[in-house]
Amino acid sequence: MKSYDVVVIGGGPGGYVAAIRCAQLGLNTACVESWLNDENQPVLGGTCLNVGCIPSKALLDSSHHLSFIKHEAKQHGINVPGVSMDVHRMIDRKKNIVQTLTTGIAGLLKKNKIEWLKGHGRLLSTSEIEVSPVGEDKDEPYQVTTKHVIIATGSVPMSIPSAQVDNELIVDSTGALAFTDVPKRLGVIGAGVIGLELGSVWNRLGSEVVVLEAMEEFLAPVDRQLAAEAEKLLRKQG
């Protein structure tokens, strides 16, 4: 049974950064991560890198270029009649960006001599962890021991009983990052950062977007002046 000074459960931005810092301080470190990409291959980066911050910014960047050409380029004397978006190519670009960065994180762990345990971690005690391997090379669960544990397992979208995700009519943020056609109409439940980012992407590409928010304030966690400005700009965009 292998033993470590620190085992980090979770290979997202919280987990892999913590693992790297522990290794830099001279601790024998392992990082447990079970995320699988579309090819059923284990990858690091967690929600943020695989289906969150990074892919949403990639799509925002692409849709911003289209929006600029359609609405602002004429002011610069640039005329582009009949401009359109190849959604499949946009999604492929997003996938390539994600793949490049997940590969980079794996390289960082290797460089810092951190062992990546590709599987799902479960605490058996304060010093023993069971790892259930994932992916094509899935094997029997095994145990490792550790002096310290860092739990960095991230979060998942809230479940709404009246709007259960079926990945057809109703999708979560992951599904909204992978549309291959522009929805004619799109309802976004939640006026938070992720919902507004994805609403912006598909609105720029032609969707009629309606945002539903239960709270009194728009972008509730954000500074009020910034939130008000964001609401004004998004309403102007439609």
Side-chain angles (χ1 to χ4, degrees):
M1 186 184 296
K2 286 191 175 181
S3 183
Y4 303 92
D5 294 321
V6 179
V7 172
V8 181
I9 301 178
Y16 75 76
V17 172
I20 289 171
R21 186 60 183 144
C22 288
Q24 289 172 342
L25 292 170
L27 299 170
N28 181 20
T29 306
C31 182
V32 184
E33 176 55 65
S34 61
W35 197 287
L36 298 173
N37 63 15
D38 293 339
E39 285 73 45
N40 203 40
Q41 297 296 320
V43 290
L44 293 159
T47 296
C48 179
L49 184 46
N50 289 282
V51 293
C53 323
I54 300 302
S56 68
K57 300 302 184 294
L59 296 187
L60 279 168
D61 185 36
S62 297
S63 64
H64 173 72
H65 287 299
L66 178 68
S67 179
F68 175 81
I69 292 170
K70 290 174 70 174
H71 305 295
E72 300 170 54
K74 288 182 180 179
Q75 301 174 20
H76 299 268
I78 303 170
N79 295 304
V80 188
V83 63
S84 63
M85 173 67 80
D86 183 334
V87 176
H88 289 267
R89 196 162 184 177
M90 178 182 75
I91 296 297
D92 284 343
R93 173 182 178 268
K94 176 208 71 174
K95 289 180 179 178
N96 288 335
I97 290 171
V98 170
Q99 183 179 10
T100 298
L101 293 177
T102 54
T103 302
I105 293 172
L108 283 174
L109 261 61
K110 186 176 181 180
K111 178 182 178 182
N112 286 278
K113 297 181 173 58
I114 299 164
E115 189 167 356
W116 173 16
L117 308 179
K118 301 174 183 178
H120 182 81
R122 183 168 73 97
L123 286 169
L124 300 178
S125 69
T126 55
S127 61
E128 192 172 8
I129 296 170
E130 180 182 80
V131 179
S132 300
V134 296
E136 295 176 352
D137 299 327
K138 186 158 55 174
D139 204 345
E140 292 298 315
Y142 60 92
Q143 287 80 43
V144 298
T145 60
T146 182
K147 297 176 184 176
H148 305 281
V149 178
I150 296 176
I151 298 175
T153 50
S155 61
V156 295
M158 181 185 295
S159 176
I160 301 175
S162 59
Q164 292 293 327
V165 172
D166 59 14
N167 289 315
E168 292 181 10
L169 180 64
I170 301 176
V171 301
D172 56 15
S173 56
T174 301
L177 285 165
F179 289 147
T180 52
D181 295 296
V182 179
K184 184 177 180 181
R185 299 187 70 207
L186 183 65
V188 179
I189 301 177
V193 174
I194 297 294
L196 294 176
E197 283 185 342
L198 293 171
S200 296
V201 167
W202 298 110
N203 171 254
R204 287 169 174 171
L205 269 60
S207 289
E208 177 188 345
V209 177
V210 176
V211 178
L212 309 172
E213 174 55 61
M215 298 186 70
E216 294 286 336
E217 296 178 321
F218 184 84
L219 268 178
V222 177
D223 173 87
R224 289 298 85 211
Q225 186 176 355
L226 290 174
E229 185 66 18
E231 183 178 3
K232 182 173 71 174
L233 289 171
L234 288 169
R235 287 186 182 279
K236 185 178 179 181
Q237 290 173 24

